Amino acid sequence: MTGPVPHRPPDAVARPAAGPRAEGRTVGASATADARRERGVALARAARGGDTIAMNDLLDHLIPYVSAICAPIALSSRQDAVQETLVVVFRKLRGLQEPAALYGWVRAIAAREAVRVARRDARDIPAEPADLPAPGDPQLAADIDDVLARLSPEHRAVLVLRDVEGLDEQEAAALLGVPEGTVKSRLHRARAGFRRMWTG
């Protein structure tokens, strides 16, 4: 259904090419981002009114955006996370009071579903960043998915929300349903662990 996140050396995590926030920051792409956003909002309004074709089009329209959020959190389970997110969107869209808030609402669902699916599918309990091998360990791979896989889903989620989606700590805390101090702590440990493993 979706492909892997592009691999490139990050400051923290590679930024996706899709999504209203990412597109809006690219010079010359703001018109395209606005058009995509307007289309998504229009589809959401029609779907909430019972238009089944609009609902199908909306779910297809959201796939790249949802995938960009789920992929770096759920990793090998990204397709399941995307599917689970779209199921929740389908079931709960009528409860979305303001269609203009579509993308923030979907972002929250995608992040939560990606963490849930990653936890569910984990074969081993992930190591905390402080317990990971030291830089230079031959088992550390110079690949962003390999590095992210060594972080817990919770640490991957805060990296994505802060460094990819551009949310501040307060917004990320509200979205994940945890205290702001927890987000700050997870973000600090996740960034430190990520940089150590990436440069190892």
Side-chain angles (χ1 to χ4, degrees):
M1 187 178 195
T2 58
V5 173
H7 296 270
R8 57 189 173 214
D11 290 331
V13 180
R15 293 182 180 274
R21 283 180 179 260
E23 288 176 345
R25 290 184 185 133
T26 305
V27 175
S30 60
T32 302
D34 289 345
R36 281 187 54 81
R37 185 178 189 89
E38 288 172 11
R39 173 168 162 71
V41 170
L43 287 170
R45 284 199 175 99
R48 286 181 73 246
D51 186 332
T52 56
I53 293 174
M55 176 64 83
N56 288 334
D57 289 347
L58 174 64
L59 297 177
D60 286 342
H61 173 82
L62 289 172
I63 287 172
Y65 181 61
V66 170
S67 180
I69 296 166
C70 290
I73 299 172
L75 302 177
S76 63
S77 300
R78 64 186 60 141
Q79 291 185 356
D80 286 347
V82 170
Q83 290 283 359
E84 295 291 338
T85 298
L86 295 178
V87 167
V88 174
V89 170
F90 176 81
R91 289 178 177 166
K92 297 188 175 181
L93 183 64
R94 285 183 184 270
L96 177 63
Q97 296 300 314
E98 181 46 64
L102 173 71
Y103 289 97
W105 180 71
V106 170
R107 182 193 303 118
I109 294 170
R112 286 193 296 262
E113 288 301 308
V115 169
R116 186 182 65 77
V117 168
R119 280 183 187 155
R120 181 194 71 194
D121 292 351
R123 291 190 176 94
D124 300 306
I125 297 173
E128 290 294 326
D131 299 330
L132 292 164
D137 188 302
Q139 293 182 347
L140 294 179
D143 176 88
I144 197 168
D145 280 350
D146 288 343
V147 174
L148 285 171
R150 297 174 186 270
L151 301 176
S152 69
E154 292 82 3
H155 285 97
R156 293 196 298 266
V158 295
L159 280 177
V160 170
L161 294 175
R162 284 288 287 120
D163 296 335
V164 177
E165 286 295 299
L167 273 63
D168 61 28
E169 282 88 355
Q170 186 175 15
E171 291 171 322
L175 191 153
L176 294 171
V178 298
E180 187 175 343
T182 299
V183 167
K184 289 180 179 178
S185 173
R186 286 180 184 174
L187 184 63
H188 174 75
R189 297 184 74 183
R191 283 176 172 167
F194 190 102
R195 279 194 290 265
R196 182 172 68 249
M197 288 182 287
W198 183 261
T199 59

